[in-house]
Amino acid sequence: AIDYQNLAAAGILCYIGAYVFITYDDYDHFFEDVYTLIPAVVIIAVGTLLFIIGLIGCCATIRESSCGLTTFAVILLLVFVTEVVVVVLGYIYRARVEDEVNQSIETVYNEYNGTNTDAPSRAIDYVQRQLHCCGIHNYSDWRKTRWFKESRNNSVPVSCCKPNVSNCTGTMSRPGDLYPEGCEALVVKKLKEIMMYVIWAALTFAAIQMLGMLCACVVLCRRGHDPAYELLVTGATYA
């Protein structure tokens, strides 16, 4: 059964890794360190490897192969160590998220030009709509941006407008129409949540790998110390 759990775990890990990649892609303008994605890369690699391990484990269990079970246990140990590394990296990069966002968010807002063809502009509009926020700390931060000074209409982007407000133009003369909370803290919170998904996934499946190693070791010990079990397995194999 543990082999089928490995196959299921492989699919779940790959899904989580892909989810982290896709979500981070929406926020990639807010951090410059590409190494932040290392845990996601590793977890996808581990998921792929787990799929292969699951197949090896299924074959080894069916055939009761000592060589196959030993290989299965050793690879599971390597995967277990890798998942521990993912947890450590996850905590390291989770702690660095806030500094990364703080260093880059002001630059991204200054690059905003209000067009859909501009990547930073799309990123800001997406974040403000999804996280229900406006500006860095609040909507008044838009006054410091180049876009605001060039537009000269005392307005913020319409992505700052609350969805339940009709005919909102983003004018600062009606602050009640705008999201009151800034985006910086919410972006940091979102990215930290994503990293926690990776950490918890790695911890959960590290426990599964430990169980897999124990099962493989139990079977190997029974083969090595129980002649009757060896005879039964040999007879079943020939049958």
Side-chain angles (χ1 to χ4, degrees):
I2 194 67
D3 309 315
Y4 296 108
Q5 290 177 12
N6 280 320
L7 292 174
I12 295 171
L13 284 175
C14 287
Y15 171 81
I16 292 172
Y19 168 77
V20 172
F21 260 114
I22 293 169
T23 308
Y24 261 58
D25 186 56
D26 296 325
Y27 297 89
D28 63 351
H29 287 86
F30 297 97
F31 59 91
E32 299 175 354
D33 190 355
V34 294
Y35 298 109
T36 307
L37 287 174
I38 285 179
V41 174
V42 174
I43 209 168
I44 289 177
V46 168
T48 305
L49 185 58
L50 267 181
F51 181 78
I52 299 172
I53 292 171
L55 294 177
I56 293 174
C58 287
C59 295
T61 303
I62 292 170
R63 297 184 178 218
E64 296 290 351
S65 166
S66 296
C67 180
L69 286 171
T70 303
T71 303
F72 180 61
V74 170
I75 298 177
L76 280 182
L77 177 61
L78 294 176
V79 171
F80 175 79
V81 172
T82 304
E83 286 173 337
V84 172
V85 171
V86 168
V87 172
V88 174
L89 288 175
Y91 273 108
I92 291 173
Y93 288 115
R94 187 174 183 271
R96 293 172 58 177
V97 161
E98 188 167 359
D99 291 335
E100 284 286 324
V101 173
N102 290 345
Q103 290 173 10
S104 61
I105 193 167
E106 189 171 340
T107 302
V108 177
Y109 268 82
N110 271 324
E111 291 176 353
Y112 185 87
N113 64 18
T115 63
N116 286 328
T117 56
D118 181 60
S121 298
R122 288 199 309 271
I124 289 174
D125 285 333
Y126 174 84
V127 166
Q128 291 190 153
R129 287 194 179 98
Q130 291 296 312
L131 302 184
H132 296 175
C133 58
C134 184
I136 299 174
H137 303 102
N138 55 59
Y139 68 88
S140 65
D141 292 323
W142 278 103
R143 289 193 175 99
K144 305 172 187 176
T145 63
R146 185 176 58 189
W147 174 82
F148 181 87
K149 294 172 183 176
E150 291 176 354
S151 62
R152 298 180 182 178
N153 59 5
N154 196 38
S155 295
V156 297
V158 292
S159 57
C160 283
C161 293
K162 295 177 181 177
N164 59 339
V165 177
S166 59
N167 302 320
C168 177
T169 60
T171 178
M172 287 190 174
S173 61
R174 299 181 61 181
D177 294 352
L178 311 175
Y179 294 123
E181 195 169 357
C183 294
E184 183 179 46
L186 293 177
V187 169
V188 170
K189 180 182 177 182
K190 181 68 174 180
L191 294 176
K192 284 187 174 183
E193 284 177 356
I194 295 168
M195 197 57 69
M196 278 306 299
Y197 295 151
V198 174
I199 291 170
W200 280 111
L203 284 173
T204 301
F205 293 113
I208 292 175
Q209 304 325 307
M210 180 67 75
L211 180 60
M213 285 187 289
L214 289 174
C215 290
C217 289
V218 167
V219 173
L220 285 170
C221 288
R222 288 176 66 184
R223 284 183 63 91
H225 297 93
D226 190 346
Y229 177 78
E230 177 73 26
L231 182 62
L232 177 63
V233 170
T234 304
T237 304
Y238 284 123

